[in-house]
Amino acid sequence: MSRSSMSSKPSPARVLPRTAPDPRWRPGSPVQPFHSEIFAPAGEASGAGLALALARDAMTSLAAGEGEDTRQVLWVQDRAAIRKGGRPCLAGLPQDLRHRLIHVAAATPEDALFALEEGLKCRDLACVIGEIAGNPKALSFTASRRLSLTAEKHGVRLWLVRLDAAPDLSSARMRWQARAAPSAPARWDAAAPGPATWQAELFRARTHAPGQWSLSDDAGTLRLAREPDLDTLAAPDPVHLARPTVGRSLAARIHA
């Protein structure tokens, strides 16, 4: 080593700015996952309601500045989901969706998964909503992984409602527990039903900390009715593996 190289001063290191993303989920987030799951009881329609609200929130936030997204919406149900919760009621849907809903009634979970995957390959769809009851063998981690990869490859988002199901291994990027919550009084008639409200728990996400929210559908816009519990954000639930993940999913880590 030469004397000149030993005496030369090292160049000062550049300090690059580091901006940590906000770990708290909020309605209207510009970062929207391509595959989400919502676990909910079948008898109160909270799963389908929250799935539709989250889907519309994503479509609105992603289309900001680009005009309204008027593509079709695919809704797939297996027979058990229809028996437990009924079919979507057109009169109860938001007016801008009634004329562009495509409903598929599948006989089995296998048929429902096939329809969901085929729908995710169609870029002419705004999004896909699915409802599957219980924990069928067909909805394995491999099947959920296929849905995630297909959604991400073709750019079509999926919200899969799991009716009366236990959280199992899945590659879904966001996983919610949903329950119906009391609605606030209607603005002009205190005796009338208020806006739909859900108690929603985000127990797994790639980019957000877990937490609980009270969410409501205010004239077609998803609103945050109550701030998340900071204690819940700080203390992940070990039963649900409730913590943000980086890189591969928790299920992928288990299988590794």
Side-chain angles (χ1 to χ4, degrees):
M1 182 179 295
S2 65
R3 183 179 300 272
S4 61
S5 62
M6 293 177 62
S7 61
S8 61
K9 295 182 179 180
S11 59
R14 286 195 308 167
V15 179
L16 299 178
R18 299 178 63 182
T19 57
D22 188 350
R24 297 167 298 177
W25 176 86
R26 288 289 185 273
S29 170
V31 180
Q32 297 287 348
F34 281 95
H35 180 194
S36 300
E37 285 186 338
I38 302 171
F39 292 83
E44 58 183 35
S46 55
L50 182 58
L52 185 58
L54 290 171
R56 298 191 75 208
D57 179 67
M59 286 188 288
T60 301
S61 60
L62 294 172
E66 299 180 3
E68 183 182 0
D69 190 345
T70 59
R71 293 174 295 172
Q72 304 292 310
V73 173
L74 177 65
W75 196 311
V76 179
Q77 295 176 296
D78 70 351
R79 181 180 298 167
I82 294 175
R83 185 175 65 251
K84 286 176 174 287
R87 300 168 184 259
C89 177
L90 289 180
L93 292 176
Q95 189 170 2
D96 62 311
L97 290 181
R98 296 174 188 175
H99 64 286
R100 55 193 183 106
L101 180 70
I102 301 174
H103 179 255
V104 174
T108 64
E110 290 83 356
D111 292 339
L113 290 170
F114 175 80
L116 290 171
E117 188 173 345
E118 291 300 305
L120 293 174
K121 297 177 182 178
C122 180
R123 291 188 173 92
D124 288 331
L125 293 176
C127 68
V128 177
I129 296 175
E131 290 184 78
I132 294 180
N135 295 84
K137 291 183 179 180
L139 188 48
S140 61
F141 174 76
T142 300
S144 71
R145 182 66 174 162
R146 286 176 61 93
L147 294 176
S148 297
L149 293 176
T150 304
E152 292 168 358
K153 177 180 179 180
H154 297 278
V156 180
R157 286 170 171 79
L158 166 66
W159 284 267
L160 180 59
V161 181
R162 307 286 303 277
L163 297 176
D164 293 340
D168 48 10
L169 292 179
S170 172
S171 68
R173 307 315 189 201
M174 269 189 173
R175 306 188 85 189
W176 296 86
Q177 287 274 8
R179 294 298 301 264
S183 299
R187 181 175 300 176
W188 306 113
D189 184 358
T197 305
W198 305 275
Q199 187 66 31
E201 176 189 357
L202 179 62
F203 65 88
R204 182 202 161 215
R206 260 189 163 183
T207 56
H208 299 287
Q212 295 183 9
W213 291 263
S214 180
L215 301 174
S216 64
D217 184 4
D218 184 8
T221 301
L222 188 63
R223 302 289 187 188
L224 186 64
R226 183 174 62 82
E227 289 294 316
D229 185 353
L230 295 180
D231 292 336
T232 304
L233 290 174
D237 184 350
V239 175
H240 290 147
L241 298 177
R243 60 186 176 90
T245 59
V246 179
R248 294 184 298 166
S249 67
L250 289 175
R253 293 174 186 269
I254 293 174
H255 278 261

